[in-house]
Amino acid sequence: KAYHEQYRPQIHFSPQAHWMNDPNGLVFYKGVYHLFYQYYPKATVWGPMHWGHATSTDLVHWNNKPIALYPDSLGLIFSGSAVVDVNNTSGLGKNGQAALIAIFTHHDQAKEKDGKNDTENESMAYSNDGGNTWTKYAHNPVLKNPGISDFRDPKVSWYAPDKKWIMTLATKDRITFYSSPNLKDWTKESEFGETLGAHGGVWECPDLFPMTAADGKRIWVLIVNINPGGPQGGSATQYFTGDFDGKTFRPNNTATRWIDQGTDEYAGVTWSNTGNRRIFLGWMSNWNYATSVPTKAWRSAMTVPRELKLVRVDSAYYVASQPVKELGNLKDETKALPAIAVKGEVNITKMLNRSDNQFQLNLSAKQLKSFSITLSNGAGEKLIIGFDEKENSWFVDRSHAGESGFNKDFAGRFAVKRIANTAGTDVTLIVDAASVELFADKGLTVMTSIFFPKKPLSNISISSADGFSASGISYSQLKSIWP
Ligand code: FRU
């Protein structure tokens, strides 16, 4: 179904109607990417959580499916993950077919009202038809709460050396690792992070996986979402790098790092069962104002799916993100511009002789200098994305990018220190009706930002007061993913 509402994303997943938050149960099976999500099907604000469901064969076009999991007597269905039980460790496979297993948090609101601590327990559901329909396991929960108020968002993965499952669980101010031979019986292995990383809020939605850098170095990455306490205020996705031996995570770095340093990426985690690719998806909002943004029929969208890479800078390894290559399927026509030197302002829209509601802009430079890209419309609204050489920072300025009265901190300029140390840069901007995603320096710096303009910001200009040369600019219109 095509969408024509104001602010409706055309190249990002959003629910047809009502409230959505975290991506859940990301799993790839037999050519299909499953996306489940925190969903309240009765209002456009958070409420009793279900798992909504959509599927895709290319990560960009999505089919809406019926709700996969409904709340029950054990509680609401909070965030979690899904795996393919290839070896039938659970015994839930049928006719030689692997079961898909979802592991999620049951959140008991009645207990919460009674002031109890053990409101959150981990439960399981399985699918014998490739993820279409789901049955809750008869003996839920599979992991009982030991008395910790925040005990949720299990991310399960197979640890091949020990032939066991690992559950990475957010437990208030730290991560607790559990292991299991069969997804049903869980043993505590260790805790991590009580005194490391950002602690401005509750730890939520973790992920754990190994990555290999281009130089062959293998490192474990531990993602920990946090709310509040993010670099721009509110919610954000931090990560740690280190080693994991099936029991304990040992960090090799103590700096706090973020997968996305903008205002609007949260609860980001990765798909399971994708082989050597590591594909990440986040919720494109911020708990600071998610329930009051000015969309009518629905609230929130997901980011574009991103492929993660481990990249070395000096002696440290960072996680870099780029839009998945499948996003290229949406490109209509790509126009390349010759090298241009900018002093003052250059109107790109005029040079391209076109303007679109959704597009991708790539720009590279041999020598990074202060410059900015301004997206604007005829209604006097503008969004400015750029680099400040004095501050050595990338920034997104949405001070005048549209409606912002719903939250006092929404309008503003948000900046982050550059991570890369190269002379040159490359920048990719993905612009949709109400969002921009900036991937700078080969994805070492990522900033996602939502905004609510009266009309699309489809005019593009590049400015530089002191002078800046772009060695290449290419622009592609992106076709809507909705039929
Ligand atoms: C993160 C989160 C999770 C929880 C879910 C509830 O945004 O708070 O920790 O499982 O949302 O909807």
Side-chain angles (χ1 to χ4, degrees):
K1 167 179 169 242
Y3 295 118
H4 303 288
E5 305 113 310
Q6 191 182 20
Y7 310 133
R8 178 67 91 165
Q10 296 297 330
I11 58 151
H12 292 86
F13 178 80
S14 59
Q16 231 162 44
H18 302 127
W19 170 266
M20 174 178 83
N21 55 290
D22 316 357
N24 293 151
L26 303 180
V27 61
F28 178 65
Y29 185 62
K30 292 200 169 159
V32 177
Y33 293 92
H34 290 270
L35 161 60
F36 302 89
Y37 52 89
Q38 287 288 279
Y39 187 45
Y40 183 46
K42 291 192 180 144
T44 50
V45 290
W46 192 92
M49 284 288 119
H50 301 53
W51 272 25
H53 188 197
T55 57
S56 173
T57 52
D58 68 355
L59 288 165
V60 289
H61 296 92
W62 295 97
N63 297 311
N64 288 308
K65 308 279 283 183
I67 290 174
L69 297 172
Y70 286 79
D72 57 42
S73 62
L74 294 175
L76 316 181
I77 315 297
F78 271 22
S79 288
S81 53
V83 294
V84 183
D85 188 8
V86 178
N87 302 315
N88 199 22
T89 61
S90 64
L92 292 166
K94 245 192 192 162
N95 308 326
Q97 285 286 320
L100 298 199
I101 312 268
I103 305 93
F104 58 89
T105 301
H106 255 132
H107 179 99
D108 188 334
Q109 276 189 314
K111 270 193 182 167
E112 190 176 6
K113 284 202 189 89
D114 289 347
K116 298 252 169 51
N117 265 341
D118 59 341
T119 53
E120 296 181 342
N121 296 280
E122 308 337 308
S123 288
M124 200 163 97
Y126 57 95
S127 171
N128 291 120
D129 60 5
N132 247 337
T133 58
W134 292 81
T135 308
K136 291 195 189 105
Y137 178 56
H139 308 291
N140 280 335
V142 292
L143 175 60
K144 281 217 174 95
N145 188 315
I148 302 169
S149 55
D150 299 287
F151 190 75
R152 61 176 176 266
D153 308 341
K155 173 74 186 198
V156 172
S157 57
W158 180 247
Y159 188 74
D162 293 355
K163 296 196 170 51
K164 65 183 184 188
W165 298 98
I166 296 294
M167 182 195 290
T168 306
L169 193 68
T171 51
K172 202 181 180 108
D173 58 351
R174 66 195 73 179
I175 295 300
T176 307
F177 295 103
Y178 293 83
S179 73
S180 171
N182 57 12
L183 295 161
K184 298 167 177 168
D185 306 300
W186 294 93
T187 307
K188 181 171 165 178
E189 295 286 359
S190 66
E191 293 180 358
F192 166 79
E194 190 193 355
T195 58
L196 266 183
H199 281 280
V202 181
W203 283 21
E204 300 181 319
C205 301
D207 199 351
L208 174 75
F209 47 86
M211 294 192 88
T212 306
D215 62 10
K217 176 87 170 173
R218 190 165 187 266
I219 283 182
W220 284 80
V221 173
L222 174 63
I223 286 181
V224 179
N225 286 275
I226 175 174
N227 176 43
Q232 311 295 357
S235 43
T237 306
Q238 69 175 319
Y239 72 95
F240 301 87
T241 55
D243 195 29
F244 183 72
D245 61 3
K247 289 178 174 297
T248 310
F249 181 83
R250 290 192 183 77
N252 58 16
N253 183 285
T254 53
T256 301
R257 293 183 179 164
W258 307 92
I259 293 269
D260 184 314
Q261 306 193 77
T263 44
D264 297 293
E265 181 282 306
Y266 190 57
V269 287
T270 67
W271 260 274
S272 70
N273 204 36
T274 52
N276 289 331
R277 288 182 85 187
R278 194 41 75 176
I279 305 165
F280 174 95
L281 189 75
W283 173 48
M284 198 155 59
S285 196
N286 187 313
W287 277 118
N288 273 356
Y289 42 71
T291 58
S292 54
V293 297
T295 54
K296 294 231 163 62
W298 82 101
R299 273 215 179 87
S300 304
M302 296 300 178
T303 65
V304 293
R306 301 163 182 183
E307 182 146 358
L308 304 184
K309 289 260 156 37
L310 192 62
V311 174
R312 184 174 170 161
V313 179
D314 297 328
S315 59
Y317 290 84
Y318 290 81
V319 176
S321 319
Q322 291 285 4
V324 292
K325 62 175 188 300
E326 289 87 342
L327 197 71
N329 297 349
L330 303 179
K331 287 182 181 172
D332 191 13
E333 190 189 336
T334 296
K335 289 195 172 188
L337 293 179
I340 45 169
V342 181
K343 197 161 161 97
E345 184 171 0
V346 172
N347 187 324
I348 299 290
T349 329
K350 273 208 187 113
M351 295 173 79
L352 292 165
N353 193 24
R354 67 177 298 153
S355 77
D356 301 292
N357 295 354
Q358 339 51 258
F359 57 88
Q360 172 170 344
L361 182 79
N362 288 1
L363 173 153
S364 49
K366 298 206 171 77
Q367 190 67 48
L368 180 57
K369 297 272 175 202
S370 291
F371 80 103
S372 57
I373 302 171
T374 302
L375 310 179
S376 61
N377 61 21
E381 296 167 327
K382 59 182 177 182
L383 179 80
I384 309 165
I385 300 122
F387 180 74
D388 184 312
E389 200 178 351
K390 252 216 241 87
E391 291 178 357
N392 193 34
S393 67
W394 292 98
F395 66 88
V396 174
D397 186 344
R398 64 178 177 193
S399 305
H400 305 286
E403 200 173 327
S404 64
F406 52 88
N407 179 273
K408 67 173 181 19
D409 300 319
F410 188 84
R413 180 185 184 275
F414 302 91
V416 295
K417 281 267 171 292
R418 191 180 190 220
I419 294 170
N421 55 11
T422 47
T425 190
D426 59 275
V427 170
T428 297
L429 286 186
I430 307 289
V431 178
D432 201 347
S435 65
V436 65
E437 288 156 284
L438 162 70
F439 302 85
D441 297 328
K442 297 201 158 57
L444 277 169
T445 292
V446 181
M447 296 181 84
T448 300
S449 191
I450 57 174
F451 50 87
F452 301 94
K454 285 195 193 80
K455 287 195 213 149
L457 301 178
S458 44
N459 297 314
I460 312 167
S461 66
I462 302 186
S463 313
S464 176
D466 300 331
F468 167 73
S469 297
S471 48
I473 295 177
S474 78
Y475 170 96
S476 312
Q477 181 205 3
L478 300 174
K479 287 174 285 187
S480 175
I481 62 174
W482 307 110

